[in-house]
Amino acid sequence: MSSAELIVTRFAPSPTGYLHIGGARTALFNWAYAKGKQGKMLLRIEDTDLERSNPAAVDAILDGLAWLGLNWDGEAVSQHARQQRHAAVAHELLNSGKAYYCYCSPEELTAMREKAQVEKRPVRYDGTWRDRDPNLAPTGVKPVIRFKSPQEGETVINDHAQGRVIIPNKDLDDLIVLRSDGNPTYNLSVVVDDHDMGITDIIRGVDHLTNAARQTQVYLAMGWRVPNMTHVPLIHGPDGAKLSKRHGALGVEAYRAMGYLPAALRNYLARLGWSHGDEEIFSTQQLVEWFSLDGINNSPARFDFAKLENLNGHYIRHTSDDDLLNEFIRFLPFVAGGTELVGRIDAVMRSKLLKAMPGLKERAKTLVELKAAVAYLFSHRPLTLDEKAKALLDDEGKAALASVHAVLAGSNDWTAQALETAVKAHAEGTGIKLGKFAQPLRAALTGTATSPGIFDVLEVLGRDEALGRVADQMSQL
RNA sequence: GCGCCCUUCGUCUAUCGGUUAGGACGACAGCCUUUCACGUUGUAAAGACGGGUUCGACUCCCGUAGGGCGCACCA
């Protein structure tokens, strides 16, 4: 593909402590787009604001991306490390007359803003120093460098999701590109980095749409090519308001702890703000093949846990027992009591879990539910029964247990199939419904009123353990 | 306040001027059944409002309403 240009996208999160779920979707889109075009996705950490950036926050993002299975090309770029270059570009702008020194103090700017607010005028820098003679500069004041933004005309953003967005230049004031302490500001750094990194396509949230206009002006001033832009709509909470802490889970690590599978989350996120006809459930491979910028909508989507849960259940059911067990073990450390459980999974337990998995995974919508469903395998005799299980083991239940115990003990083939045949025959022989035996049995074997098929439970538990658990409940009078 | 953007079932969405407006989740009802699930069958459920343009608008234009984003020496 020599004629076609290599697509280079980037994901550029600011390290705030976790990988935001909206950021995760942005990353997914960038990733899928780059992959589908045989291009590259780069990663840049926007750590310009050192006060809010720390290694732990960066790690949280890398960890989140890794968990989601989104890899990037090359080394992650630290924006902070490139400050010299950003400052150099600011001075380049200054020297070519595309920027100027501004000596306004923060207090003056605040006053300017407040005055504008009172007078109900747009709050913008009034351009005091734009054309003023630099010789008038007050002594002892460290100036900032402001970009000389065009005052006439309009700036056009040809956005792949939003369409042709036109912003009047009069509404864009002269932004600061270099602070008085010599550090560059975001809008400058982003442009310089995206240019230097050879980014061809910027895919990010619409919250950056106005920044896109300012950045476009900087590109133009530098004579650089403006990358293709795609601003994707934001994700809202179930109530329609912007997703915030109030809605609960913001970081992907929270979704991991809630027991969602990375593949399910990818699928769900992909369908939020993007679509490919009526396709609902598709593999990541298919996403990569299908993903296109014009499949992106331009209206915000509400996050729907019910749908995520449904999808997750589907993925759990369709994951092989072996893979699912591995996912489960990988998940356990992130949930209370999970690490201890991992310690108890030896070869024997592993094979029990694997054997029980077909029955278990039909019923779990999350790995948290799977953990609960698997608990009976880890229980020690005598079991502690929950309320519903206790209710099942009334006098009638215990009597049923005693009679079924004899049947089970008499079976010389401890397989689910053989045991089912035997117990069903017993039920028919006594004229009692199967349920009258199955439910007390379930209570005795699992300590709960719900579980996978009872004959499977019997087989997985093994003859001695199963008979022991039944006997425990028979004898307690 | 100024600028920009958005608006199809409760939710995610399909439709790219002509459809009985389709699918999925959720809800409800039935079937299956040893529990819970799964599976399966079916039902209810939508073009914000008002004007245009057009033979014909969910689709194009304008306005209104509602919602979102942005307006820092934050990113």
Side-chain angles (χ1 to χ4, degrees):
Chain A
M1 50 187 298
S2 52
S3 60
E5 184 188 22
L6 179 73
I7 295 292
V8 183
T9 67
R10 47 57 155 198
F11 176 53
S14 54
T16 50
Y18 47 65
L19 174 59
H20 190 279
I21 189 72
R25 188 191 55 168
T26 302
L28 177 67
F29 284 3
N30 275 287
W31 179 87
Y33 187 61
K35 278 270 181 294
K37 299 278 185 189
Q38 278 86 40
K40 290 181 175 178
M41 179 182 87
L42 308 183
L43 177 65
R44 181 175 71 236
I45 305 295
E46 314 249 289
D47 52 359
T48 301
D49 183 6
L50 279 185
E51 283 181 25
R52 287 207 320 223
S53 309
N54 61 304
V58 174
D59 286 346
I61 287 172
L62 303 189
D63 178 51
L65 288 172
W67 176 71
L68 255 188
L70 303 180
N71 58 312
W72 57 94
D73 293 284
E75 291 291 305
V77 172
S78 159
Q79 188 160 64
H80 179 252
R82 293 177 39 81
Q83 286 194 335
Q84 299 291 323
R85 158 101 254 244
H86 305 153
V89 171
H91 282 98
E92 219 175 290
L93 249 11
L94 185 70
N95 295 335
S96 61
K98 307 262 176 59
Y100 59 93
Y101 281 122
C102 166
Y103 295 87
C104 288
S105 67
E107 293 72 34
E108 286 176 278
L109 294 175
T110 310
M112 194 184 292
R113 228 170 278 133
E114 282 169 357
K115 186 161 175 259
Q117 231 145 35
V118 171
E119 295 174 5
K120 306 218 166 183
R121 283 184 294 109
V123 284
R124 284 186 248 111
Y125 175 67
D126 63 5
T128 303
W129 289 92
R130 185 176 168 112
D131 299 308
R132 186 178 285 187
D133 185 351
N135 293 320
L136 298 173
T139 50
V141 175
K142 283 195 170 174
V144 300
I145 295 181
R146 297 192 98 108
F147 177 70
K148 202 178 271 183
S149 175
Q151 293 174 308
E152 310 277 296
E154 48 202 22
T155 296
V156 177
I157 305 161
N158 285 307
D159 193 281
H160 285 82
Q162 306 295 324
R164 190 178 156 88
V165 179
I166 299 167
I167 314 263
N169 284 338
K170 65 177 173 60
D171 294 316
L172 268 15
D173 60 1
D174 292 348
L175 72 154
I176 293 172
V177 288
L178 203 71
R179 299 188 180 95
S180 53
D181 63 3
N183 289 324
T185 58
Y186 172 76
N187 277 308
L188 201 235
S189 299
V190 167
V191 171
V192 176
D193 286 347
D194 283 336
H195 173 262
D196 289 0
M197 290 164 77
I199 305 302
T200 60
D201 290 79
I202 294 174
I203 303 170
R204 76 234 294 191
V206 269
D207 46 336
H208 282 102
L209 196 55
T210 1
N211 285 330
R214 324 193 77 125
Q215 291 167 14
T216 297
Q217 296 181 344
V218 177
Y219 276 105
L220 263 22
M222 288 303 293
W224 291 341
R225 201 189 80 176
V226 183
N228 295 321
M229 307 240 192
T230 304
H231 288 88
V232 311
L234 302 180
I235 297 176
H236 287 182
D239 59 354
K242 182 185 173 183
L243 207 57
S244 70
K245 283 193 179 134
R246 184 165 49 83
H247 297 110
L250 272 188
V252 292
E253 87 291 333
Y255 292 81
R256 169 170 61 193
M258 285 187 280
Y260 294 111
L261 261 25
L265 193 56
R266 278 193 301 262
N267 194 156
Y268 178 73
L269 251 19
R271 282 292 284 111
L272 223 46
W274 176 85
S275 61
H276 182 77
D278 281 336
E279 300 293 343
E280 293 286 346
I281 296 176
F282 43 81
S283 68
T284 301
Q285 182 54 43
Q286 282 172 313
L287 169 65
V288 168
E289 278 170 33
W290 290 337
F291 190 82
S292 73
L293 264 18
D294 35 69
I296 296 175
N297 317 117
N298 50 3
S299 56
R302 300 185 188 199
F303 199 95
D304 183 6
F305 274 96
K307 189 155 184 175
L308 206 210
E309 196 153 287
N310 171 275
L311 252 186
N312 203 54
H314 178 273
Y315 274 87
I316 285 181
R317 268 174 264 129
H318 289 81
T319 300
S320 74
D321 298 339
D322 214 54
D323 289 348
L324 187 58
L325 180 55
N326 289 335
E327 283 276 10
F328 182 59
I329 293 171
R330 189 155 82 104
F331 149 83
L332 282 175
F334 298 100
V335 74
T339 307
E340 183 218 324
L341 234 46
V342 175
R344 290 179 57 191
I345 301 179
D346 54 12
V348 175
M349 183 54 84
R350 206 187 153 82
S351 73
K352 274 192 192 176
L353 285 167
L354 233 30
K355 203 171 188 180
M357 208 50 94
L360 255 16
K361 71 184 184 185
E362 273 314 300
R363 295 165 170 77
K365 289 199 192 66
T366 66
L367 295 178
V368 170
E369 288 182 12
L370 188 63
K371 177 173 177 280
V374 102
Y376 79 92
L377 289 174
F378 289 87
S379 305
H380 294 296
R381 291 179 53 200
L383 300 202
T384 312
L385 307 186
D386 70 18
E387 289 307 314
K388 285 180 182 169
K390 278 181 193 162
L392 286 169
L393 292 176
D394 53 10
D395 290 343
E396 191 188 354
K398 287 178 191 229
L401 273 190
S403 78
V404 82
H405 182 274
V407 174
L408 294 173
S411 174
N412 46 20
D413 181 8
W414 199 266
T415 61
Q417 205 179 7
L419 294 170
E420 179 168 358
T421 307
V423 174
K424 275 189 172 164
H426 177 63
E428 269 174 44
T430 55
I432 299 174
K433 288 175 102 174
L434 183 58
K436 291 290 183 185
F437 294 108
Q439 278 304 84
L441 207 43
R442 191 177 327 270
L445 293 172
T446 70
T448 68
T450 63
S451 82
I454 199 62
F455 302 106
D456 293 323
V457 170
L458 243 13
E459 180 179 331
V460 171
L461 242 23
R463 182 189 177 94
D464 292 348
E465 180 69 20
L467 287 178
R469 289 186 184 193
V470 174
D472 287 343
Q473 303 308 324
M474 288 161 49
S475 56
Q476 280 178 21
L477 293 171

